[in-house]
């Protein structure tokens, strides 16, 4: 759900993030053309040889919450001043009706439409997936751990692990900045 927001907030279609066929075809074509160097090339281009840098300094505000609450109160007061008595009564009536609907029980036929899972619907056996470990893939020094999944409708699921033991301890709190950015960028091939 939140993946669609990354497009929607920039006035693009919220369903754009769900359309994976074309990027997946492009990724497959790139892999067919250059082998499995796609991620190695991306790491080189976007991380190792990337000359772009940003320094962001953020300062906490002790009064931010109060400022936001006051701004909201002022905005609501201006809106209220611009309304007629009938407009205010209509909003109050709609609010009362909404609270009544929210507090009422759903009818049994509506509750019956909610999907539910019973204990007997679950498999008691744990599914074991065979894991294959390949050391020093293509003389790269990389250890590849992989396993086959059942039906994935042709979608490749990949998790990337990076050795971060070389990151200085004082820089560790900044690692979510990289992982958030990398996770978002990885959807755009």
């Amino acid at each position: 759900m939140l993946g669609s927001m990354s497009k929607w907030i920039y006035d693009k279609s919220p369903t754009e993030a769900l359309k994976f066929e074309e990027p997946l075809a492009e990724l497959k074509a790139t892999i067919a053309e250059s082998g499995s160097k796609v991620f190695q090339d991306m790491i080189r281009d976007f991380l190792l040889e990337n000359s772009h840098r940003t320094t962001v300094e953020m300062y906490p505000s002790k009064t931010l919450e109060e400022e936001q609450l006051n701004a909201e109160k002022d905005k609501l007061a201006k809106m209220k001043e611009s309304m007629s008595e009938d407009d205010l009564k209509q909003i109050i009536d709609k609010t009362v009706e909404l609270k009544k609907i929210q507090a009422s029980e759903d009818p049994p036929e509506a509750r019956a439409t909610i999907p539910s899972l019973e204990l007997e619907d679950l498999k008691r056996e744990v599914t074991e997936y065979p894991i294959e470990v390949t050391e020093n893939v293509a003389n790269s020094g990389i250890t590849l751990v992989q396993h086959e999944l059942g039906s994935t409708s042709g979608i490749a699921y990949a998790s990337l692990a990076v050795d971060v033991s070389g990151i200085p301890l004082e820089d560790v709190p900044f690692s979510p900045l990289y992982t958030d950015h990398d996770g978002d960028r990885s959807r755009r091939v």
Side-chain angles (χ1 to χ4, degrees), residues 3-188:
S4 66
M5 295 296 288
S6 67
K7 307 289 184 205
W8 196 13
I9 61 174
Y10 295 106
D11 293 329
K12 294 184 179 177
S13 170
T15 62
E16 192 66 31
L18 304 174
K19 298 175 183 171
F20 64 88
E21 293 89 355
E22 188 177 327
L24 182 59
E26 290 174 11
L27 176 63
K28 287 180 178 181
T30 304
I31 290 173
E33 181 181 304
S34 65
S36 62
K37 289 184 59 178
V38 174
F39 297 109
Q40 291 171 350
D41 291 345
M42 288 174 68
I43 289 170
R44 183 192 66 238
D45 294 343
F46 294 116
L47 297 176
L48 301 176
E49 295 177 7
N50 186 348
S51 62
H52 301 284
R53 298 290 180 262
T54 294
T55 300
V56 177
E57 292 185 22
M58 299 187 329
Y59 301 98
S61 169
K62 293 180 180 180
T63 61
L64 178 63
E65 182 179 16
E66 183 182 341
E67 291 169 16
Q68 289 174 332
L69 288 172
N70 288 336
E72 184 177 11
K73 284 179 185 177
D74 292 344
K75 180 181 176 183
L76 291 173
K78 286 178 186 174
M79 289 173 67
K80 185 176 180 180
E81 287 174 12
S82 70
M83 293 180 179
S84 68
E85 287 296 322
D86 287 340
D87 291 339
L88 288 172
K89 182 172 178 1
Q90 188 178 10
I91 289 173
I92 292 170
D93 291 344
K94 283 184 179 181
T95 303
V96 169
E97 184 180 341
L98 176 62
K99 287 186 176 187
K100 180 181 167 189
I101 291 169
Q102 289 174 330
S104 67
E105 284 283 326
D106 290 330
E109 54 274 4
R111 285 193 304 248
T113 63
I114 299 172
S116 63
L117 202 57
E118 299 296 328
L119 191 58
E120 51 272 3
D121 295 330
L122 303 175
K123 291 193 301 186
R124 290 199 141 328
E125 314 80 46
V126 176
T127 304
E128 293 285 338
Y129 296 102
I131 294 176
E132 180 183 331
V133 178
T134 308
E135 301 281 342
N136 197 21
V137 176
N139 294 321
S140 63
I142 296 172
T143 300
L144 175 66
V145 180
Q146 64 184 13
H147 63 85
E148 295 295 325
L149 292 175
S151 173
T152 61
S153 301
I155 300 172
Y157 292 90
S159 294
L160 177 66
V162 178
D163 179 10
V164 294
S165 61
I167 296 178
L169 189 57
E170 64 269 10
D171 291 342
V172 169
F174 301 112
S175 61
L177 295 173
Y178 165 73
T179 55
D180 290 347
H181 169 72
D182 187 54
D184 184 50
R185 182 183 40 74
S186 66
R187 289 192 289 264
R188 299 182 313 252

